[in-house]
Amino acid sequence: MNHTSHSLSRRRLLVGTAVASAVAAAGVTGAQAAAVASPTRPAQPLVTRNRIATAVLRSPDVGGTPGHFQADFHERLDTWLAFWSANSPRSWSVPVEVVGRVEPGGDAFTLHAIRYRRDDAMRDGFSSQRVDAAHLATLASLHHHFPVVRPPPDGGLRVVDGPAGFTGSAEQLAFAVAACRELWGHRVATTATWRDHANRALTRAGHRTDAASRSG
């Protein structure tokens, strides 16, 4: 998650993502759709947490407030945020605040911001209102840890509990195409060709793995 002050063109990014989503949606099979659905499980007591990993949990409109989570979902969020922090610039502190809201069932969370400290000031490492390289890097980290990642109508990035992996969902393909075009400079990448472009980018970066795998 290399920091860059270069902001992506919001129009170019969103148009590219929207096109990819529309094309991908037409190709998602019933089996793929079932794979990204929230898993069915017996009802479990929710756990109350006021942090995700090292970061204080804050509601977008209330401030610091505890959330009620499925226990395994909160553990996945802890693991994800540690991964995000490990891949952030060395000059950033560990995350000190996560702004978001957990849903009543405790198995879905909408992320709005991640904040860290630098030079005694609080800064946004990720903001759902800012489209830049850190936005795509955060999307990548969420897709790596959760099967469903999508922007709800009222803003933020919503993630759903469940085993992570490549499903071929519209959202995953849209992200992959946007990353190829906007981060790696493969402007001609499409939902049909993104995998070849992404694998070439990974090879250049010294990672010999398939982009359609979880590690990729």
Side-chain angles (χ1 to χ4, degrees):
M1 190 180 300
N2 294 324
H3 179 68
T4 175
S5 60
H6 173 66
S7 294
L8 303 177
S9 163
R10 182 177 180 84
R11 175 179 173 79
R12 190 168 72 241
L13 175 60
L14 294 184
V15 168
T17 302
V19 170
S21 294
V23 174
V28 175
T29 67
Q32 289 170 326
V36 300
S38 181
T40 300
R41 76 184 99 196
Q44 298 289 335
L46 302 183
V47 297
T48 301
R49 299 288 185 266
N50 60 6
R51 290 179 178 268
I52 294 177
T54 58
V56 173
L57 177 62
R58 298 196 177 278
S59 170
D61 49 12
V62 177
T65 181
H68 306 290
F69 297 85
Q70 292 281 348
D72 62 343
F73 182 49
H74 187 266
E75 290 176 3
R76 288 180 195 272
L77 288 167
D78 282 346
T79 301
W80 155 73
L81 191 61
F83 177 88
W84 185 94
S85 180
N87 287 280
S88 64
R90 293 181 179 178
S91 59
W92 296 9
S93 74
V94 296
V96 294
E97 288 185 359
V98 168
V99 181
R101 182 180 288 109
V102 63
E103 295 183 8
D107 60 354
F109 181 78
T110 299
L111 173 69
H112 289 271
I114 306 171
R115 294 175 179 146
Y116 67 96
R117 288 192 182 278
R118 184 178 181 186
D119 301 328
D120 295 325
M122 191 84 77
R123 303 171 187 264
D124 284 344
F126 161 79
S127 169
S128 62
Q129 301 299 312
R130 188 181 68 211
V131 179
D132 57 4
H135 190 280
L136 283 179
T138 300
L139 264 176
S141 72
L142 291 169
H143 279 298
H144 182 68
H145 286 86
F146 300 97
V148 178
V149 183
R150 60 172 57 107
D154 57 350
L157 295 174
R158 180 177 183 268
V159 298
V160 177
D161 190 19
F166 182 73
T167 65
S169 68
E171 291 82 12
Q172 286 186 352
L173 293 183
F175 163 74
V177 172
C180 286
R181 293 176 177 177
E182 303 300 332
L183 290 182
W184 301 330
H186 294 252
R187 301 292 185 193
V188 298
T190 67
T191 54
T193 64
W194 72 270
R195 192 168 175 176
D196 289 339
H197 292 287
N199 283 339
R200 286 200 293 272
L202 287 173
T203 298
R204 287 203 312 271
H207 300 287
R208 296 193 176 276
T209 186
D210 185 2
S213 68
R214 182 167 181 249
S215 60

